[in-house]
Amino acid sequence: MSDIFTIVLPVFIVMGFGYIAVWRGLFADSAVDGLMKFAQNFAIPCLLFRAISTLDLQQNFDLPLLLSFYSGVVGAFAVGLLGARFLFRRPWEDCVAISFCCLFSNTLLLGLPITERAYGADALLGNYTIIAFHAPFGYALGITAMELVRAQGTPLRHIPVKVGKAMFSNALVLGIALGFVVNLGNIPLPVVFTDAVDLMVRAALPAALFGLGGVLYRYRPEGDMRTILFVCAVSLGLHPAIVWTLGSANDLSTDAFRSAVLTASVAPGINAYVFANMYGVAKRVAASAVLVGTGLSIVTTALWLGVLP
């Protein structure tokens, strides 16, 4: 167990530095916004662009892996939606935002570094395969559900346009899309350009983890604790359990199985709050679920690591 915590804790220590820096006034709240904007709108899209543009799609397009993981995503979304409505009597718009928290694992800031520390950089191919579709799939599902709930007489033919516009306003989705364009088009890139992008990539995860710590200090839990714990139970427990079951049934390779279960097991990502903030609903639940879930995942992720092959 001590070896497992050695793998997991450095990721959370970097986040803790950010949390303490903002708490003690050593790092301004406005600076957190700037750091997260840099990480989410520039550095992480560069990371995704480089990963997707250089990925061997024919070799690494693992359909059983994607089916196992994204069936778990849909299952977590459905349970979150129905639980928010029928257990907690939330309005349907709140229910969609809460269910988005249940489905959107922090694949980048937690899933990637934890998998890399546990199994090495060569074990990340499954992570990148999942991440390539994570933001597009998650946002498409969440935005479509929200627009349907909000439709109220709006012609259904207008909804795909709204969904597409919202998705391609997201820098992560754009980074992934450009990576696919370069990859599928076999477009050669100048070395000087890729070296510059790689400099941005090296800053992505440390900056984002530090910034996330500052964001988590800002959105400390304030009420709705039963709903928040429900989100954490679905995200940290049910989601990886579904993926484990389906991954076993689909006979995934060891590396793919590890990537799928670990990625499913991490806490809700900051995009859960971004989605809630975008629609102005369930923001307190979303922000607090990210904070509480991240804290709990120090233990739960270590437990999942302990039972993985």
Side-chain angles (χ1 to χ4, degrees), residues 209-221:
L209 286 170
F210 186 91
L212 181 58
V215 170
L216 294 181
Y217 175 75
R218 180 188 302 170
Y219 297 112
R220 300 181 296 281

Side-chain angles (χ1 to χ4, degrees), residues 134-159:
H134 195 236
F137 185 89
Y139 273 97
L141 182 58
I143 292 170
T144 300
M146 186 66 82
E147 295 299 337
L148 286 172
V149 165
R150 289 189 158 191
Q152 297 179 350
T154 301
L156 291 178
R157 67 178 181 275
H158 292 164
I159 291 178

